[in-house]
């Protein structure tokens, strides 16, 4: 087990180095440069040239014949090794500090979305499989079809319109109401409220989380429902389940003890993949709900060509996805005794 | 169960009312920086205007100068030296006295690349100095030659040439006066969310949660009208429809730059009041001299006559725009010529005839580029571009619509050969025609259309140097005639950005310049 983990970590490191080179080259290859983007309508060639020089973006990318290390990539990697991801070109805020405040926001939203997806998707899938071809089955299948095909931004706006504007039950955006003062501990506000002994703040944070979590969780919910259904149907048709039934084990027990546990394996994979994707930031949802996470931050950075932010954000997201994938693979061993790690 | 859940939600929404009399503004996004002089965006300006004062201020809702931190100013006869008398007994929010030293400290940071407190080694650029004041200490084009402390409450700016706009330029919101003590203590961090910006303004800084909000509190020592609210929260809400939703839900009190088509929704809501800002921008089409058809003046004139600007403004700005005006917004109509109309009249028949006279009876085709982003001066560029193309096809010109990512768009327009015909615009910084003409016809302007006659440059210089309004009006009238006849830049509309407030918000007078202090706003019966 330990050598396997080490091997995986080594591979992750190689992936991250590869990604750093790729993203570094990629952001500089997209036409349009940070200076022009920052200056906007005011951009005139002279100002752009001056700003570019000031930002050190006039240096060669990877190699400077005159001073081999006076090029953008070596300078970046050198800073990276000192734990310095640079500062946003536009904000001048160290990328590290931004990650520290924005990742928890994204994580909270992702947890909320997955919670919603499992809460609805799992029972719907199980019910659909057990009551195959019934009205329940059609309902669950229909629900998942709608969940997958409804555009997130449209669903998000619809949710805001109905629950925030028309009914006034839930806040339309942000993470806390104006005037609620909560000092972050973990950055997950619902949790922080409880840790700080401010249940009202925790409740307020939860109310802000509901709509964006539903919007973001709609697609994973649909996928989970479908995978659960098809995987459970497959397992229920297998010999060992039939054997258990023949032995006279109660039907419910068979389903729960034997079939469900095995049927959940592919669901774990899907949840893991979805978690990785969600933790990388959800651009549309975060934008619609003014949710200050990684997604909206990276989206802005890309339109502004904010190189340090894009680089830092993408490398960080890659790291998170790698770690989540590793955890998913390891959790297999707990669920499926047939899997061995070497 | 479900019923219980909904009841709980209802109960909580009743309990969750904001504290009384905290004012909540829905800003167009998150500020870039709260350091004066180092920003070019309106979102940062809206926040900075609350924390900082400038030497020269503007009368509510106008572009007319009025005393700010300077109580009076005068120039020598040729406007090359400006002397400002400073307001006495003013303190920064950290107790540091405001005086000539503070003014010289701030302006030296902006203007002198060698200032130890400019932190240019840390990526500080003060690019607005290049935009509005020609550059930095030692640059050939720089407006400022020297900054001198005369005595504790007098500062003198010596300029490289005559410039009668100087007071209104330095009144632009970019040039807020910050506490030298705070800047020296906080160094390059100053202005970031991790710092504490300090000015002399009506509100002082409490906290900034990036991507979320900036919290301010009233400065009870303020030299001017003291704020009438217990707190101010400026929330970052990028999407205009989201701002409208927040207004309707009552989670914010007021907001600017809603889309023009929200007007009916605002009017239909009895809790909201529509607030129209005076127009201070221009959305226009630029025609490129490098294109063989557009190099012909008759063709350019025909294009201007072929476009039904009035109908387009009605349709796409929901009537919240002035069309058939010159390149300058209506508040500066005094600078237009009487010899020519403000703009070409819509006359497709005459346009067709003119094209035939120019030898293009069978028409031709060219590219029309539209912006990929919405701006106050072009709320929905693609629809507007389609309408323009339809008008042009009626006179035989086929316009191929094109667009690309905003940063690339701004880049490519200045790269040879540039775009044939493209949409762009400008929002003013201060109330002088030079701010509009200079931005697109000036010596440092973008080289997007390859049109820069010497006569135009000389008129721009004369306009800057003219001391009186009648004197200026004479020069700008000539500039108007010249650019009208040349027809390289076709003004489409001057929009009136739509703002809205909850009905209990009183005393908000939006400034045409895009940001104003909120110290006169009163909340009457906000729950």
């Amino acid at each position: 087990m330990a050598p396997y983990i080490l091997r995986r970590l080594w591979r992750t490191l190689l992936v991250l180095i590869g990604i750093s080179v790729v993203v570094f080259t990629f952001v500089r290859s997209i036409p349009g440069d940070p200076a022009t983007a920052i200056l906007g309508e005011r951009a005139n060639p002279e100002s752009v040239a001056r700003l570019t020089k000031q930002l050190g973006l006039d240096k060669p990318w990877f190699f400077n014949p005159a001073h081999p290390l006076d090029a953008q990539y070596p300078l970046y990697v050198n800073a990276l090794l000192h734990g310095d991801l640079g500062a946003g070109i536009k904000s001048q805020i160290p990328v590290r500090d931004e990650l520290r405040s924005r990742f928890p926001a994204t994580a909270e939203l992702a947890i909320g979305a997955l919670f919603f997806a499992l809460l609805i998707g799992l029972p719907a899938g199980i019910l659909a499989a057990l009551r195959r071809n019934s009205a329940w089955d059609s309902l669950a299948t229909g629900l998942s079809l709608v969940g997958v095909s409804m555009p997130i931004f449209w669903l998000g706006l619809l949710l805001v319109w109905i629950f925030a504007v028309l009914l006034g039950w839930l806040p339309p955006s942000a993470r806390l109401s104006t005037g609620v003062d909560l000092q972050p501990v973990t950055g997950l506000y619902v949790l922080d409220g409880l840790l700080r002994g401010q249940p009202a703040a925790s409740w307020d944070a939860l109310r802000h989380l509901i709509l964006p979590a539903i919007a973001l969780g709609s697609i994973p919910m649909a996928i989970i429902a479908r995978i659960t259904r098809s995987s459970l149907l497959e397992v229920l048709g297998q010999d060992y389940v039939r054997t258990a039934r023949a032995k006279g084990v109660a039907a419910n027990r068979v389903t729960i003890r034997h079939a469900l546990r095995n049927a959940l394996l592919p669901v774990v994979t899907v949840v893991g993949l979805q978690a990785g994707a969600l933790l990388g930031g959800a651009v549309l949802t975060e934008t619609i709900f003014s949710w200050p996470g990684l997604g909206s931050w990276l989206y802005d950075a890309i339109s502004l060509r904010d190189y340090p932010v894009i680089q830092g954000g993408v490398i960080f997201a890659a790291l998170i996805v790698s770690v989540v994938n590793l955890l998913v693979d390891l959790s297999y061993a707990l669920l499926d005794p047939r899997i061995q790690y070497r | 169960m479900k019923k219980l859940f909904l009841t709980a939600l209802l109960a909580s929404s009743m309990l969750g009312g904001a504290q009384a009399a905290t004012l909540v503004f829905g800003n167009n996004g998150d500020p870039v920086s709260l350091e004066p002089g180092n920003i070019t965006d309106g979102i940062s300006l809206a926040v900075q205007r609350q924390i900082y004062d400038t030497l020269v201020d503007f009368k509510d809702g106008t572009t007319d100068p009025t005393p700010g931190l300077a109580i009076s100013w005068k120039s020598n006869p040729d406007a090359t030296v400006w002397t400002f008398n400073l307001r006495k007994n003013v303190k920064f929010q950290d107790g540091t006295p405001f005086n000539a030293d503070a003014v010289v400290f701030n302006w030296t940071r902006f203007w002198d690349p060698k200032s130890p407190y400019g932190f240019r080694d840390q990526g500080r650029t003060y690019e607005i100095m290049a935009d509005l004041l020609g550059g930095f200490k030692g640059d050939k084009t720089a407006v400022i030659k020297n900054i001198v402390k005369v005595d504790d409450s007098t500062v003198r700016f010596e300029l490289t040439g005559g410039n009668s706009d100087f007071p209104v330029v330095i009144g632009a919101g970019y040039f807020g006066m910050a506490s030298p003590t705070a800047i020296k203590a906080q160094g390059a961090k100053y202005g970031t969310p991790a710092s504490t910006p300090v000015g002399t303004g009506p509100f002082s800084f409490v906290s900034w949660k990036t991507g979320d909000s900036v919290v301010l509190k009233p400065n009870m020592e303020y030299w001017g009208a003291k704020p009438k609210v217990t707190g101010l929260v400026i929330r970052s809400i990028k999407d205009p429809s989201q701002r409208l939703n927040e207004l309707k839900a009552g989670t914010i009190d007021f907001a600017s730059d809603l889309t023009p088509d929200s007007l009916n929704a605002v009017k239909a809501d009895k809790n909201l009041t529509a607030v129209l800002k005076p127009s201070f921008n221009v959305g226009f089409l630029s025609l490129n001299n490098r294109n063989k058809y557009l190099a012909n003046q008759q063709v350019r004139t025909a294009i201007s006559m072929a476009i039904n600007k009035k109908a387009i403004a009605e349709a796409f700005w929901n009537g919240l725009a002035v069309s058939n005006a010159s390149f300058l917004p209506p508040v500066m109509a005094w600078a237009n010529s009487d010899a020519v109309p403000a703009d070409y009249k819509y006359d497709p028949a005459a346009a067709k005839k003119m094209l035939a006279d120019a030898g293009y009876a069978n028409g031709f085709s060219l590219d029309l580029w539209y912006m990929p982003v919405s701006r106050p001066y072009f709320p929905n560029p693609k629809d507007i571009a389609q309408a323009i193309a339809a008008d042009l096809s009626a006179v035989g010109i086929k316009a191929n619509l094109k667009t690309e990512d905003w940063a690339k768009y701004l880049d490519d327009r200045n790269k040879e050969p540039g775009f044939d015909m493209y949409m762009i615009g400008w929002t003013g910084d201060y109330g002088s025609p030079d701010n509009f003409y200079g931005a697109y016809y000036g010596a440092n302007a973008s080289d997007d259309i390859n049109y820069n006659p010497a006569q135009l440059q000389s008129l721009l210089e004369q306009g800057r140097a003219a001391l009186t309004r009648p004197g200026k009006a004479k020069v700008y009238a000539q500039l108007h005639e010249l650019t009208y006849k040349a027809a390289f830049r076709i003004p489409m509309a001057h929009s009136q950005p739509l703002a809205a407030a909850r009905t209990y918000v009183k005393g908000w007078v939006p400034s045409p310049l895009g940001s104003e202090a909120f110290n006169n706003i009163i909340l009457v019966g906000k729950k």
Side-chain angles (χ1 to χ4, degrees):
Chain A
M1 189 81 167
Y4 170 80
I5 295 180
L6 277 175
R7 245 198 344 266
R8 283 286 302 257
L9 288 175
W10 169 242
R11 239 188 1 215
T12 301
L13 185 69
L14 287 180
V15 164
L16 290 179
I17 293 171
I19 283 195
S20 79
V21 173
V22 169
V23 73
F24 195 90
T25 313
F26 178 74
V27 294
R28 283 166 178 73
S29 314
I30 359 179
D33 59 284
T36 311
I38 288 171
L39 298 171
E41 295 88 326
R42 303 176 172 280
N44 63 56
E46 221 175 80
S47 298
V48 171
R50 185 178 26 237
L51 191 52
T52 304
K53 192 169 160 56
Q54 210 150 33
L55 298 170
L57 297 173
D58 55 337
K59 292 179 177 165
W61 292 3
F62 289 101
F63 183 72
N64 186 346
H67 312 273
L69 291 180
D70 191 31
Q72 296 181 44
Y73 188 74
L75 290 170
Y76 181 72
V77 171
N78 182 30
L80 199 61
L81 293 176
H82 291 96
D84 175 9
L85 289 163
I89 287 178
K90 190 158 185 190
S91 69
Q92 294 298 322
I93 302 169
V95 171
R96 215 177 42 195
D97 298 357
E98 282 271 36
L99 282 171
R100 202 173 294 141
S101 82
R102 285 173 180 273
F103 178 62
T106 289
E108 184 167 56
L109 181 55
I111 293 167
L114 280 176
F115 179 78
F116 167 78
L118 287 167
L119 188 77
I120 309 285
L122 212 50
I126 294 170
L127 200 63
L130 296 182
R131 305 265 182 281
R132 199 174 166 184
N133 297 334
S134 70
W136 285 111
D137 189 9
S138 320
L139 185 72
T141 319
L143 185 72
S144 75
L145 192 65
V146 170
V148 158
S149 49
M150 195 182 291
I152 284 198
F153 65 91
W154 195 79
L155 176 63
L157 291 173
L158 192 73
L159 289 170
V160 169
W161 179 246
I162 295 173
F163 294 101
V165 176
L166 289 181
L167 299 171
W169 291 349
L170 290 167
S173 76
R175 295 184 68 192
L176 283 173
S177 294
T178 308
V180 174
D181 190 30
L182 177 65
Q183 289 305 317
V185 189
T186 59
L188 307 169
Y189 287 180
V190 177
L191 185 64
D192 289 355
L194 298 173
L195 293 175
R196 291 262 179 217
Q198 293 172 274
S202 179
W203 173 239
D204 187 60
L206 185 64
R207 291 182 57 236
H208 281 82
L209 182 60
I210 293 170
L211 293 181
I214 292 175
L216 186 59
S218 63
I219 291 177
M221 171 203 79
I223 296 173
I224 288 169
R226 296 185 69 138
I227 298 274
T228 308
R229 176 180 180 272
S230 58
S231 154
L232 190 56
L233 281 175
E234 194 189 341
V235 171
L236 287 175
Q238 284 192 350
D239 291 350
Y240 68 90
V241 176
R242 279 213 295 275
T243 311
R245 289 228 168 130
K247 272 169 43 186
V249 182
N252 275 343
R253 243 183 105 112
V254 173
T255 315
I256 292 163
R257 279 285 301 271
H258 300 269
L260 201 54
R261 188 176 152 176
N262 292 321
L264 280 182
L265 264 180
V267 178
V268 171
T269 312
V270 167
V271 170
L273 288 173
Q274 290 290 336
L278 294 181
L279 288 171
V283 173
L284 287 173
T285 311
E286 289 182 7
T287 307
I288 291 167
F289 291 94
S290 305
W291 192 270
L294 292 174
S296 52
W297 182 52
L298 270 177
Y299 174 78
D300 288 350
I302 288 168
S303 59
L304 278 170
R305 306 288 190 271
D306 201 325
Y307 298 166
V309 173
I310 304 172
Q311 286 157 201
V314 170
I315 291 170
F316 180 79
L319 176 71
I320 294 287
V321 171
S322 306
V323 170
V324 171
N325 283 348
L326 178 61
L327 292 176
V328 170
D329 288 354
L330 292 178
S331 69
Y332 271 30
L334 304 174
L335 288 165
D336 190 342
R338 288 172 307 186
I339 293 177
Q340 291 279 319
Y341 288 105
R342 276 194 284 288
Chain B
M1 183 67 219
K2 195 168 169 194
K3 209 163 171 178
L4 196 71
F5 174 68
L6 292 183
T7 320
L9 278 182
L10 266 173
S12 74
S13 64
M14 286 171 191
L15 291 173
Q19 295 148 356
T22 289
L23 181 63
V24 186
F25 176 62
N27 201 0
N28 300 6
D30 210 37
V32 174
S33 164
L34 296 181
E35 179 194 15
N38 199 29
I39 45 152
T40 54
D41 68 305
I43 293 170
S44 303
L45 275 183
V47 182
Q48 290 204 10
R49 187 61 201 86
Q50 314 310 321
I51 302 173
Y52 303 108
D53 294 308
T54 46
L55 292 179
V56 175
D57 202 353
F58 299 95
K59 289 196 188 88
D60 279 359
T62 74
T63 60
D64 305 330
T66 183
L69 285 174
I71 43 177
S72 66
W73 47 89
K74 59 178 189 301
S75 75
N76 63 344
D78 59 1
T80 52
V81 178
W82 283 91
T83 308
F84 292 81
N85 290 315
L86 307 180
R87 197 175 287 278
K88 294 193 173 97
N89 306 322
V90 173
K91 281 198 163 40
F92 286 100
Q93 292 142 2
D94 61 1
T96 306
F98 167 79
N99 52 28
D101 289 326
V103 174
V104 172
F105 175 89
N106 275 282
W107 274 95
T108 306
R109 292 180 72 227
F110 304 156
W111 165 72
D112 182 356
K114 293 203 168 57
S115 160
Y117 298 109
F119 307 113
R120 281 171 170 83
D121 53 335
Q122 316 247 10
R124 296 292 206 269
T125 58
Y126 308 104
E127 200 55 41
I128 199 71
M129 286 293 291
D131 291 334
L132 298 187
L133 289 161
F136 305 94
K137 186 176 183 174
D139 289 359
K140 276 202 311 291
T141 50
V143 169
I144 299 176
K145 191 163 70 183
N146 205 2
I147 305 171
V148 184
K149 169 187 169 180
V150 180
D151 60 40
D152 269 357
S153 57
T154 316
V155 177
R156 195 168 69 221
F157 289 83
E158 294 164 2
L159 311 185
T160 51
N163 191 330
S164 55
D165 287 334
F166 189 71
V168 290
V169 176
I170 69 168
Y174 308 104
F175 303 120
M177 293 291 106
S179 160
T181 315
I183 288 176
K184 285 173 184 167
Q186 299 177 40
K189 260 187 123 105
Y190 188 89
T192 65
S195 70
T196 304
V198 182
T200 57
F203 293 91
S204 50
F205 179 86
V206 176
S207 66
W208 173 7
K209 241 192 281 182
T210 45
D212 183 71
S213 61
V214 179
V215 179
L216 304 169
K217 64 174 191 284
N219 170 13
M220 282 333 225
E221 309 295 305
Y222 188 50
W223 57 265
K226 294 184 177 47
K228 305 179 178 49
V229 294
T230 55
L232 171 61
V233 176
I234 299 181
R235 288 191 41 200
S236 314
I237 308 167
K238 265 207 303 283
D239 182 40
S241 61
Q242 182 70 26
R243 287 198 290 278
L244 179 64
N245 283 337
E246 301 263 354
L247 274 169
K248 290 178 80 73
T251 39
I252 59 177
D253 297 329
F254 64 133
S256 303
D257 294 319
L258 303 175
T259 54
D261 51 17
S262 314
L263 180 63
N264 306 342
V266 171
K267 282 187 167 161
D269 189 326
K270 64 176 188 336
N271 296 313
L272 299 181
T273 318
V275 180
L276 288 177
K277 289 190 167 192
S279 175
F280 203 60
N281 60 32
V282 57
F284 57 96
L285 269 182
S286 284
L287 311 185
N288 193 337
N289 212 359
R290 298 181 188 97
N291 173 294
K292 70 168 187 203
Y293 306 113
L294 298 175
N296 181 326
Q297 193 224 342
Q298 282 181 299
V299 170
R300 296 194 301 268
T301 310
I303 286 177
S304 189
M305 290 195 296
I307 301 170
N308 190 346
K309 295 152 195 156
K310 190 160 182 289
I312 289 175
E314 283 298 323
F316 300 108
W317 277 270
N318 207 355
L320 299 177
V322 180
S323 58
N324 294 337
S326 74
F327 194 71
L328 300 176
V331 283
M332 290 195 290
W334 56 266
N336 287 342
S337 163
D338 300 329
V340 293
D343 188 18
Y344 291 97
K345 286 276 167 295
Y346 172 59
D347 190 346
K352 243 185 142 96
K353 185 174 174 311
M354 200 172 267
L355 284 173
D357 292 348
Y360 299 115
N362 300 327
F364 53 84
S365 71
L366 42 64
D367 294 338
L368 166 57
W369 290 79
Y370 63 90
M371 322 152 30
V373 294
S374 168
R375 280 280 192 274
Y377 48 76
F378 277 131
N380 27 17
K382 188 179 181 177
D383 302 349
I384 295 166
Q386 283 169 339
I388 292 171
D391 282 346
L392 291 179
S393 74
V395 299
I397 298 173
K398 183 175 179 301
N400 313 309
L401 294 193
K402 296 202 158 174
T403 189
E404 60 188 7
D405 167 279
W406 185 225
K408 189 168 178 341
Y409 185 94
L410 291 168
D411 223 14
D412 285 351
R413 64 177 177 156
N414 289 327
K415 282 199 184 129
E416 291 267 355
F419 299 149
D420 291 346
M421 192 155 71
Y422 82 105
M423 286 159 75
I424 192 74
W426 183 259
T427 300
D429 304 301
Y430 53 91
S432 163
D434 184 58
N435 183 224
F436 280 77
Y437 284 127
Y440 275 90
Y441 291 107
N444 319 342
S446 61
D447 184 27
D448 54 345
I449 55 167
N450 194 27
Y451 168 72
N452 204 343
Q455 190 195 354
L456 216 160
Q457 290 313 314
S458 129
L459 284 172
L460 282 169
E461 275 164 39
Q462 292 171 44
R464 275 192 293 269
L467 290 182
T468 60
R469 178 160 285 194
K472 274 185 185 291
K474 224 162 77 187
V475 178
Y476 287 117
Q478 291 175 60
L479 231 164
H480 176 207
E481 285 159 38
L482 179 69
T483 52
Y484 167 87
K485 288 186 181 125
F488 276 104
R489 305 218 189 257
I490 301 175
M492 293 290 302
H494 303 280
S495 77
Q496 278 202 288
L498 172 66
R502 304 283 294 181
T503 45
Y504 52 69
V505 176
K506 307 282 181 217
W508 179 35
V509 185
S511 159
L513 299 168
S515 59
E516 60 284 327
F518 298 152
N519 53 328
N520 289 320
I521 297 181
I522 308 173
L523 296 169
V524 182
K526 176 185 175 181
K527 290 190 183 61

